Amino acid sequence: MLLRIRPESDEPIYEQIIHQIVFQVAAQVIDNGTLLPSIRELAKELLVNPNTVARAYQELERQGILAARRGMGMGLTEEAGKRCRELRAQRIRERIGQVVKEALHSGLEPDVLKAWIEDELSRHSARTRKEKR
Amino acid sequence: MLLRIRPESDEPIYEQIIHQIVFQVAAQVIDNGTLLPSIRELAKELLVNPNTVARAYQELERQGILAARRGMGMGLTEEAGKRCRELRAQRIRERIGQVVKEALHSGLEPDVLKAWIEDELSRHSARTRKEKR
DNA sequence: CATACTGTACTATGTGGATAGTACACTAGC
DNA sequence: GCTAGTGTACTATCCACATAGTACAGTATG
């Protein structure tokens, strides 16, 4: 499982883990029923404390995306795909709304904002077409 | 000066103060050369600790937007307008880029993303046309 | 000059995120 | 049954943000 953690980010590490797993499940990079790496294993891979991974896993379990299997690890639920797509939509729409609201509220002309959005859209979709990074 | 502080936000209070002042200067709601409310005064108005306001003012001074006038308060620089418009563009473009990158990287179809953006754009520009909230 | 305001600089406390380390109960696999 | 791995639950420490309170140097204003 490929996760990119930025310790210096404003977003807490345990939330980065949560949302990146949610996004990968939504993108079907990880399929329903898959067994995720154990807390200690993922912690070692991400150079992060096991407690931090445990907190992320607990939150995902609370939302019905993960289910604990003692002695084996944490597995994805059957509803994981559906729920993750819902969460992805919720997160993205909320963040778009924040930026747009903030930008217009700051007196920025809507045309300029739309131009910037188009710019970023083409920039990142160009990268997506070729490879991931 | 109208600032809306959300103590429960992920964004630290002192950063909220900074970026809201920057945005209002960029929008020319506050003109160059204006004298801002004193640290203690603004702190009382925002129901926030004076130290928090002081930290925001110090950062704005460090960026050449504010200048301290002992006994009077903090006043906007002559370059304040220009610098604040630069900072506004930087902040907005960066946040747009993050959301777009995240969304496309999560396997979301570009068409869906564009639809969501159009939705939020029309929603908030409708509000802007009438009043602020 | 005297007062009241200004910004600035401290110390101390509380909270949440993150780390470190330990311990316990459960289970797959040999 | 044993071992090694699993999730879970603690305690302790560190750091940043925010708060509370005090003190000091400079200045506008009377």
Side-chain angles (χ1 to χ4, degrees), chain A residues 71-84:
Chain A
M72 301 186 62
M74 305 280 279
L76 287 181
T77 309
E78 291 303 321
E79 321 137 308
K82 181 189 163 199
R83 299 207 173 173
C84 285

Side-chain angles (χ1 to χ4, degrees), chain B residues 12-14 40 49 51-52 55 70-72:
Chain B
I13 296 180
Y14 79 98
R40 294 175 179 82
N49 195 277
N51 295 335
T52 306
R55 185 168 178 182
R70 289 260 172 171
M72 301 187 60

Side-chain angles (χ1 to χ4, degrees), chain B residues 12-15 17-18 39 49-62:
Chain B
I13 296 180
Y14 79 98
E15 286 187 9
I17 298 176
I18 292 176
I39 291 181
N49 195 277
N51 295 335
T52 306
V53 178
R55 185 168 178 182
Y57 275 14
Q58 280 174 351
E59 177 61 20
L60 288 170
E61 186 179 20
R62 201 186 62 79

